[in-house]
Amino acid sequence: MTMNYRKFKSYSLFAAFVLSAIVLIGWSQTWFFLEVTFPTENSEGLAVSGQIAAPGLSAFGLAGFAITAALALSSIVIHRILGVLLLGLGIAVVLISISAWSDPVLAAVQQLTALSAISDIETLRTFVISSSATAWPGITAVAGILLVPVGIIIVFTAGKWGTGSRKFERVDKNTDSTAKKAVEKSEVQSISDVSSVNIDAWDSLSHGTDPTIN
């Protein structure tokens, strides 16, 4: 049973695009709710978005889109390099997401400092009564995890995706074939013309006329 590696290309590009979109969407959503002791605009708690908790994810999401676009147009060698980059991007997304997930207060330090004018992390911890995470840190981490096998698949199957070069080779072969047929046709026509001249010469001799006299 032969495998259609062009499907690997389609599936890989689709997966890379979707997972990059999930990373970017996750970055824009709320990650944590913190209950704090100092006054805030929200008396029920402080909402911390992925933009605060993991600001670097926006760059990784956009990089995923750029890699996907480049994969659709580049050569085999570049495909493999981009596959490695996608793998590394997935690992980075996982590490950033888990790091923020494991310590919400540290992830929200920028927002807490803006509200309290206190930058010391240990002091800020004393102000946080409780914290709860939404599903988005986990969703983003899973998207990063899935980018790793997608990158691996690209590295090992890119050489069999095929390129557009065969198409041009066929055009060249067709062009050569057409040229050869034209030459052969020209040669046959020349032979036919020579034969016609010889026949006319014999006819002239049979009528007593010298064919060399124009």
Side-chain angles (χ1 to χ4, degrees), residues 195-211:
S195 299
S196 178
V197 170
N198 291 336
I199 292 170
D200 290 341
W202 281 109
D203 287 342
S204 297
L205 287 173
S206 63
H207 290 88
T209 304
D210 188 352

Side-chain angles (χ1 to χ4, degrees), residues 26-210:
W27 165 79
S28 67
Q29 301 302 309
T30 299
W31 282 33
F32 307 109
F33 291 102
L34 304 180
E35 291 290 340
V36 295
T37 57
F38 52 82
T40 65
E41 295 179 1
N42 185 353
S43 59
E44 296 181 355
L46 181 67
V48 182
S49 70
Q51 299 174 35
I52 299 296
L57 289 181
S58 62
F60 288 118
L62 293 174
F65 288 140
I67 290 173
T68 303
L71 282 168
L73 303 172
S74 57
S75 63
I76 293 173
V77 174
I78 302 300
H79 283 163
R80 287 174 174 155
I81 294 173
L82 293 174
V84 173
L85 290 177
L86 197 64
L87 187 157
L89 187 150
I91 293 173
V93 169
V94 173
L95 293 177
I96 291 173
S97 301
I98 291 178
S99 177
W101 202 358
S102 63
D103 194 345
V105 177
L106 181 60
V109 66
Q110 180 182 348
Q111 194 167 349
L112 292 171
T113 298
L115 292 171
S116 66
I118 298 172
S119 58
D120 182 64
I121 182 63
E122 297 305 325
T123 303
L124 290 173
R125 289 186 191 279
T126 62
F127 294 147
V128 178
I129 300 172
S130 64
S131 65
S132 60
T134 66
W136 284 105
I139 293 172
T140 307
V142 170
I145 291 171
L146 293 177
L147 280 171
V148 174
V150 171
I152 294 173
I153 290 171
I154 290 171
V155 170
F156 286 98
T157 65
K160 298 180 181 180
W161 283 3
T163 61
S165 61
R166 292 182 179 177
K167 179 180 178 182
F168 296 109
E169 286 175 3
R170 288 173 184 170
V171 172
D172 292 340
K173 288 178 180 178
N174 290 337
T175 302
D176 292 341
S177 177
T178 303
K180 288 180 180 178
K181 288 181 179 179
V183 171
E184 291 174 356
K185 185 176 180 181
S186 177
E187 290 177 352
V188 170
Q189 185 65 37
S190 298
I191 294 171
S192 177
D193 291 342
V194 171
S195 299
S196 178
V197 170
N198 291 336
I199 292 170
D200 290 341
W202 281 109
D203 287 342
S204 297
L205 287 173
S206 63
H207 290 88
T209 304
D210 188 352

